[in-house]
Amino acid sequence: MTSPQPRPAVIATPFDRHGSITPAELEALGLSGDAIVDFSLSVNPYGPPPGVRAVLEAIDIARYPDPDALALRRALATHLHRPLSQIIVGNGSAELLWLIALAFLDAGHRALIIGPTFGEYARAVRLMGAEIVTWRTDERDDFAIQPDEIAVLLAQTRPKVVFICHPNNPTGRLLPLQALARWAAAHPATLFVVDEAYLPFAPNAPTALTLDAANILVLRSMTKVHALAGLRLGYAVGDEAIIQALRRVQPPWSVNALAQAAGVAALQDEAHLRTSLAKLAAAKEALLQALRAQGWRPLPSAANFFLLPVDDATACRARLLEQGVVVRDCASFGLPRHIRIAVRTPAENECLLWALSKVKKCLE
Ligand SMILES: Cc1ncc(COP(=O)(O)O)c(C=O)c1O
């Protein structure tokens, strides 16, 4: 008997594994979510701005959200010094990645992904039946981007879209923006998507928004830095024609009313952002120092997370889970000997250090 079949590209697209532990995994392990500290989730551990909760209470959830997200886009326009027409908001920046694929990729097109990186770029490309070209950074090279090698690959493969993460998940490396400017100028028909989901955690790192090229689209997440992951909120900034194309393929009302209002409130509370990021930067330095003192070799990172080389990432994650902490096993990034750790508050980081010291003892 024949049954309804999805498109071949859908069947060929596997699920991607993400960081945070799921309720299903917790249940299978007989653990309670309250009993673990999650270092696999790279969000601001100081939480959303305190005013956000009161704003959410006032929302009439019986009404549809504004399909144009006007108040939020106006707040973003002021914040970014960009016209409204150059901004689109999404149900998390993940939705915007999918809209880019839907609007710009088709079977027969190529997309270049600079890896190892966030798995949703590849998933969105595969779903459209387009071909993935990958250029991977190398651990022996500290995961640095080699602009000349990428320039050659761009000339050879002429991709329709390029996905670059700045700073990169999971390596924490920044993209050299001069190289991006050169690539974008040499390939005006290619859309360069720069995912800046973690850029606010990298103090003083330059943004691709300063380049202002018509074929560069910058993605930002409001779920990480403003700790709104459960509400889902992100935005993209770029040329008006590109933003229009994304709006054409966006499902109606995809950004709910609570997320829109929370976004406006979060943008208003600059003090909470400043103080939480300063505390986080200090916590990161202290954690890195303590890890080195324990004999670990954390890799340098511009972001709020970093890679830690281990013998076996999957086994290490499982052992740490027994001690009540979750880290990201990087095997799905093609890094089976690295775990990714997001920095949390000093008290939570102490739990991690204690758990890692136990794991280290059983490795010795
Ligand atoms: C690099 C990167 N980009 C985008 C996202 C999606 O973030 P969100 O949809 O929550 O904005 C993630 C989530 O982990 C990520 O790691």
Side-chain angles (χ1 to χ4, degrees):
M1 218 178 17
T2 54
S3 56
Q5 289 298 304
R7 291 184 289 116
V10 174
I11 296 169
T13 306
F15 285 102
D16 194 44
R17 220 187 133 259
H18 287 292
S20 190
I21 193 161
T22 60
E25 191 182 358
L26 283 170
E27 219 172 273
L29 292 165
L31 291 171
S32 140
D34 298 336
I36 56 148
V37 191
D38 194 345
F39 293 86
S40 71
L41 194 66
S42 305
V43 301
N44 186 341
Y46 295 98
V52 165
R53 272 183 205 285
V55 168
L56 298 184
E57 298 261 323
I59 300 294
D60 179 0
I61 58 169
R63 295 175 67 99
Y64 276 87
D66 174 2
D68 300 315
L70 203 54
L72 176 55
R73 284 174 50 244
R74 280 196 179 128
L76 285 167
T78 307
H79 179 72
L80 300 163
H81 310 292
R82 287 291 182 120
L84 214 51
S85 57
Q86 293 185 4
I87 301 169
I88 179 173
V89 295
N91 187 6
S93 55
E95 184 197 20
L96 297 164
L97 288 173
W98 286 56
L99 297 185
I100 292 163
L102 192 56
F104 288 91
L105 290 173
D106 217 337
H109 289 150
R110 279 188 283 264
L112 171 63
I113 296 176
I114 301 184
T117 193
F118 186 47
E120 289 299 316
Y121 311 140
R123 213 155 79 90
V125 174
R126 279 206 184 94
L127 261 186
M128 299 313 300
E131 185 192 333
I132 296 172
V133 178
T134 308
W135 187 90
R136 267 180 86 87
T137 58
D138 194 324
E139 187 189 353
R140 287 165 301 182
D141 216 5
D142 283 336
F143 295 109
I145 281 180
Q146 301 299 341
D148 294 344
E149 289 184 23
I150 294 170
V152 170
L153 196 58
L154 283 168
Q156 281 169 350
T157 59
R158 307 221 158 256
K160 185 90 189 292
V161 179
V162 179
F163 289 99
I164 318 162
C165 192
H166 171 64
N168 185 44
N169 172 13
T171 61
R173 293 293 308 234
L174 290 166
L175 165 73
L177 289 188
Q178 320 85 305
L180 171 66
R182 282 199 301 276
W183 302 334
H187 299 278
T190 299
L191 177 61
F192 290 82
V193 179
V194 183
D195 181 349
E196 296 189 350
Y198 299 102
L199 194 73
F201 294 106
N204 308 321
T207 161
L209 281 176
T210 52
L211 299 179
D212 205 19
N215 57 339
I216 294 178
L217 181 73
V218 174
L219 289 189
R220 293 268 178 89
S221 171
M222 294 188 74
T223 70
K224 318 278 183 200
V225 71
H226 299 292
L228 301 173
L231 282 176
R232 319 292 307 118
L233 192 58
Y235 59 91
V237 187
D239 186 69
E240 190 173 332
I242 291 168
I243 299 298
Q244 274 303 324
L246 300 184
R247 291 200 71 186
R248 272 174 200 261
V249 294
Q250 187 170 38
W253 312 294
S254 72
V255 184
N256 71 70
L258 300 178
Q260 292 188 27
V264 174
L267 287 170
Q268 281 165 354
D269 194 342
E270 285 179 16
H272 174 78
L273 186 65
R274 221 178 12 255
T275 52
S276 61
L277 289 181
K279 283 192 285 188
L280 194 60
K284 179 180 170 190
E285 273 323 299
L287 176 59
L288 289 172
Q289 262 185 34
L291 284 169
R292 287 189 203 109
Q294 276 191 8
W296 300 95
R297 289 181 298 106
L299 302 192
S301 160
N304 55 330
F305 52 77
F306 54 87
L307 288 175
L308 192 70
V310 294
D311 280 348
D312 176 337
T314 307
C316 184
R317 177 185 184 271
R319 287 226 189 86
L320 287 170
L321 201 48
E322 288 164 14
Q323 308 298 331
V325 305
V326 188
V327 295
R328 176 69 153 95
D329 163 8
C330 290
S332 66
F333 289 105
L335 300 172
R337 292 163 70 88
H338 290 82
I339 56 172
R340 191 193 65 204
I341 292 171
V343 182
R344 298 199 57 86
T345 64
E348 290 170 315
N349 295 341
E350 284 302 322
C351 300
L352 174 76
L353 286 164
W354 176 82
L356 277 168
S357 70
K358 291 235 165 196
V359 167
K360 195 156 194 359
K361 278 210 185 75
C362 68
L363 291 175
E364 282 162 356

